[in-house]
């Protein structure tokens, strides 16, 4: 092998045959939070155990405020969100619930009001589905030093398992006159939302499992309402009661909150569907890049169906290129996308936009303002997100003013 | 509502309207490992946090021996195995590796031997894939009181992300004359296996992520070889070296071990593919069932392709019924199946058999014995697994003698 053949990429360091001996042993000691042996082959490893753990060198975390905690989207690979990193939003903390005492009441406009224990729920036919849940207030902006987690970390994806609500509806005999149902949680906020009955017949689920195991406490243990594609707060956690009615219940969470101001002083209520969206997670702030080939990576999703394409621009929106979507592309699910880009080392802006199978294209912030006015609230904002790539390889968020 | 209408299922307890007030408060106190409040709506919950945790009422665990730890298949829902419950098999423990110091050497019959850091690997085009890994020695039998975890818990499934080995093969310029490569781990066993080069071109991956985050230490942190559908030990963890050659290396792990005795004293070597298999995980020992409708649930998988059908027998193999497969049905992946069965309360045996898209049908133990003889070793045993359902609702494993 000749040294001068080793030139294909600056990122690859060739190993001369004479250097082979030094590859594993002899690495210089470094200051690390936890030391690893110089040569791991010379030290017996840790025995197998009953529960695995993360490497001490990996410490992904949610970013928590008083009421919510955001998923570190920039740390993710693929489409599954690790359960302990699933975003969290609660209205009065996470209740502790004994699964042996858990009960779900379904009553109101039904033939047979019933109470279901957790064991009851698990005896019905089960269904699993990989899909996202996203908070309706999932957009922050304002400064250039914001990460994907800070901008829109209130979305996460799991494989959810449970019983279809339609199965329970048939069991209790929901009246054909029922048009709405109340979903009530057993948290200290007694979170309540009114949901159209059609969603219950369509694809709503009472979920008791997440990513292969019992649902996590922050996600509604032992059972939650799961409404694929609908804003997070309607997916009522720790659900204890469903009441069928012929009108919405006008709870606090749908009158004082979770409504949006639109143009001409009007207010939009019961805006359930989460519109198509995408974000580039690599490169993003505070990562840095080097001149040459870069695989731009990100996530796209739509509450209305499947992602049909993601387009990427590397010249501030002048030209758009079709990204590759990672299979499986699932309905109402985070979908990973990639686009290979040769960065010439100049200042530029990169961004992505998602298209779903309803034909909807993710709007720019300006398009949102044009449609809904400058007074639009903080909900259902899904603008194209741009990253500024600077000559020195640093990456900054491009915050846009809109109010 | 009339009380006499409440009769559809014994498992469902109806709530008379007059009883509504007592549904949530007033539950009787019970001895539990950790107490939950009588009425969770009256107690502010736990604040949101940086990392979620399991409910204290849920404590799934692997079952560990000195060298391996088995996944609790009976506790799983859907197709994703929680990362900390992924089965484990190591040959001298789990090494601690500093990701900053990690290097993978590819050399031998290549144009340009190269060393790749973890950062290098992540810069290449990435791919994600949901697929299982199964230990070749994944069958135990012998007594009726065995769980799915004990019988075949050495299989688990993750969404794996990494760089295709074919990409690295092109990078280093693998010689067209190379037919095998050595995969070497940096654990204290320096685990080594010879792998046909065609697998490297086909679908082998250097995986650095699992279920959305960095790969777990027990699974090869920071990077492992992932050979979809091939026996677990060939998916060399903590991989540090790949050497291309025109012959197998005849390492200890493919001469003294991981070979199978077959008929007439012959021995099978390099039997990589894991054949189609299934197991009913509900009902299984030590669960109990009640007379009436039962949703039989289980997992099926094949290292040779997709599962095309799973058949279930509820009368000891006399008749077989087609089970429902849960979408997505993925290539070389655990696939969840379900079959609704009305149990009449009599003694019987239930079992499942998987069929994959090569046309292969999971054999009985007797068929395996007929094909390979009574001296066949402990590897690549994928027999139909039967559960005995007793009149009292208890469920027992049906162990069959074969040597």
């Amino acid at each position: 092998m000749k040294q001068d053949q080793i030139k294909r990429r600056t990122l690859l360091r060739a190993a001369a045959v004479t250097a082979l001996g030094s590859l594993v042993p002899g690495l210089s000691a470094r200051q690390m939070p936890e030391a690893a042996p110089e040569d791991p082959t010379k030290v017996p490893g840790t025995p197998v155990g009953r529960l695995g753990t993360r490497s001490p060198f990996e410490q992904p975390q949610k970013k928590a405020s008083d009421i919510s905690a955001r998923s570190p989207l920039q740390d993710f690979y693929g489409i599954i969100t690790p359960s302990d990193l699933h975003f969290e939003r609660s209205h009065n903390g996470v209740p502790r619930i004994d699964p042996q005492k858990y009960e779900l009441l379904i009553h109101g406009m039904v033939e047979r009001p019933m109470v279901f224990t957790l064991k009851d729920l698990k005896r019905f036919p089960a269904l699993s589905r990989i899909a996202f849940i996203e908070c309706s207030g999932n957009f922050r902006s304002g400064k250039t030093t914001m990460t994907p987690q800070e901008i829109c970390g209130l979305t996460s994806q799991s494989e959810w398992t449970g019983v279809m609500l339609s199965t329970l509806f048939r069991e209790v005999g929901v009246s054909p006159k029922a048009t709405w149902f109340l979903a009530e949680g057993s948290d200290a906020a007694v979170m309540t939302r009114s949901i159209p009955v059609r969603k219950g017949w369509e694809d709503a689920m009472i979920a008791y499992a997440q990513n292969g195991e019992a649902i996590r406490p922050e996600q509604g243990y032992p059972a939650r309402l799961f409404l694929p594609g609908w804003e997070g707060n309607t997916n009522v956690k720790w659900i204890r009661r469903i009441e069928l009615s012929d009108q919405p219940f006008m709870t606090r969470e749908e009158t004082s909150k979770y409504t949006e101001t639109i143009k001409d002083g009007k207010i939009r209520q019961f805006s359930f569907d989460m519109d198509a969206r995408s974000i580039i997670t690599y490169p993003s702030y505070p990562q840095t890049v080097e001149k040459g080939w870069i695989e731009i990576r990100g996530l796209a999703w739509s509450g209305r169906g499947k992602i049909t394409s993601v387009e990427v621009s590397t010249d501030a929106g002048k030209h758009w290129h079709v990204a590759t979507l990672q299979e499986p592309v699932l309905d109402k699910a985070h979908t990973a996308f990639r686009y290979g880009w040769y960065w010439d080392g100049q200042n530029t802006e990169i961004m992505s936009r998602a298209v779903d199978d309803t034909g909807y294209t993710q709007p720019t912030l300006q398009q949102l303002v044009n449609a809904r006015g400058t007074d639009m609230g903080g909900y259902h904002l899904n603008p194209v997100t741009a990253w500024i790539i600077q000559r020195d390889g640093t990456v900054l968020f491009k915050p846009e003013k809109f109010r």
Side-chain angles (χ1 to χ4, degrees), chain A:
Chain A
M1 182 195 78
K2 289 173 190 165
Q3 278 296 114
D4 61 3
Q5 290 177 320
I6 307 159
K7 62 186 178 201
R8 296 197 64 201
R9 288 193 183 178
T10 56
L11 70 113
L12 298 172
R13 292 174 293 121
V17 173
T18 52
L20 294 188
S22 68
L23 279 174
V24 175
L27 294 168
S28 66
R30 293 180 52 173
Q31 294 297 328
M32 293 296 295
E34 310 230 11
E38 288 291 302
D39 179 356
T41 67
K42 302 302 184 205
V43 185
T46 309
V48 299
R50 292 184 173 184
L51 273 184
T53 53
R54 291 197 167 93
S55 163
F57 296 99
E58 302 289 335
Q59 298 180 355
Q61 288 192 332
K62 291 188 271 194
K63 197 165 180 109
S65 72
D66 287 347
I67 58 167
S68 67
R70 313 169 79 82
S71 282
L73 301 183
Q74 64 278 354
D75 295 338
F76 291 166
Y77 303 90
I79 58 171
I80 297 293
T81 303
S83 294
D84 59 0
L85 295 172
H86 193 292
F87 89 87
E88 231 180 303
R89 167 78 171 97
S90 59
H91 294 71
N92 201 347
V94 178
R96 171 172 289 195
I97 298 174
D98 183 339
Q100 298 289 334
K101 298 177 184 170
Y102 172 82
E103 291 183 327
L104 169 63
L105 166 68
I106 305 184
H107 70 138
M109 294 175 67
V110 304
E111 289 176 39
R112 297 168 293 276
M114 288 185 182
V115 173
F116 303 90
T117 65
L118 187 62
K119 191 179 166 198
D120 294 340
L121 294 177
K122 290 182 179 177
R123 277 197 67 173
F124 283 101
L127 194 117
S128 297
R129 175 169 192 171
I130 297 172
F132 74 91
I133 297 179
E134 182 181 17
C135 178
S136 59
N138 192 23
F139 178 59
R140 284 194 185 173
S141 182
K143 54 181 181 176
T144 56
T145 53
M146 292 178 73
T147 64
Q149 178 172 28
E150 292 168 315
I151 298 163
C152 63
L154 295 173
T155 186
S156 304
Q157 178 149 293
S158 294
E159 181 187 29
W160 299 99
T161 299
V163 51
M164 296 305 285
L165 188 53
S166 57
T167 302
L168 303 181
F169 275 8
R170 277 188 289 270
E171 198 68 24
V172 299
V174 164
S175 163
K177 292 180 184 160
T179 50
W180 290 82
F181 68 87
L182 183 79
E184 178 183 278
S186 51
D187 56 331
V190 195
M191 177 74 189
T192 42
R193 284 300 312 262
S194 304
I195 310 294
V197 162
R198 66 169 172 79
K199 184 70 174 174
W201 289 114
E202 190 185 307
D203 63 358
M205 178 191 283
I206 302 295
Y208 47 73
Q210 173 187 15
N211 289 345
E213 61 177 316
I215 207 167
R216 295 296 182 101
E218 322 86 64
Q219 297 308 321
Y221 182 86
R224 80 179 301 168
L225 182 61
F226 173 43
L227 304 177
W230 282 23
E231 60 178 31
N233 68 82
T234 63
N235 294 248
V236 173
K237 299 190 278 193
W238 317 290
I239 190 161
R240 69 170 184 179
R241 189 165 73 90
I242 288 176
E243 181 179 348
L244 281 295
S245 175
D246 55 6
Q247 53 188 307
F249 292 76
M250 297 298 174
T251 74
R252 181 181 62 177
E253 309 296 344
E254 53 212 21
T255 52
S256 75
K257 288 173 61 183
Y258 299 124
T259 58
E260 300 102 55
T261 308
I262 52 173
K263 267 187 170 174
D264 310 321
K266 289 182 182 167
I267 287 176
R268 211 164 67 169
Q269 192 183 24
F270 299 124
S271 43
F272 296 118
D273 298 276
M274 297 305 295
D275 286 314
R277 187 165 185 182
S278 67
I279 186 168
I280 292 170
T281 53
Y282 179 82
S284 65
Y285 174 80
Q287 297 155 350
T288 58
V289 289
E290 291 166 31
K291 185 176 167 177
W293 281 103
I294 293 170
E295 188 173 69
I296 293 174
R297 296 170 190 160
L299 289 172
W301 61 96
S302 169
R304 296 184 189 268
K306 286 189 185 185
I307 291 295
T308 48
S309 73
V310 176
E311 297 165 329
V312 170
S313 173
T314 57
D315 58 3
K318 288 188 204 74
H319 301 88
W320 293 86
H321 312 277
V322 175
T324 302
L325 303 184
Q326 172 68 62
E327 291 292 335
V329 176
L330 300 170
D331 192 40
K332 304 178 182 176
H334 280 183
T335 301
F337 69 86
R338 306 186 182 100
Y339 176 71
W341 171 48
Y342 187 88
W343 181 45
D344 61 7
Q346 299 304 304
N347 289 323
T348 191
E349 287 173 22
I350 62 171
M351 60 195 75
S352 62
R353 65 183 180 202
V355 181
D356 70 19
D357 60 8
T358 69
Y360 175 92
T361 299
Q362 182 184 2
T364 61
L365 190 59
Q366 189 56 51
Q367 288 172 318
L368 284 170
V369 170
N370 294 347
R372 286 161 54 185
T374 51
D375 283 339
M376 59 185 174
Y379 302 121
H380 290 275
L381 298 176
N382 60 330
V384 166
T385 301
W387 301 102
I388 300 161
I389 311 286
Q390 303 190 116
R391 277 189 170 215
D392 63 0
T394 55
V395 182
L396 294 172
F397 173 51
K398 186 186 179 187
E400 294 172 274
K401 276 211 135 161
F402 70 104
R403 52 185 162 197

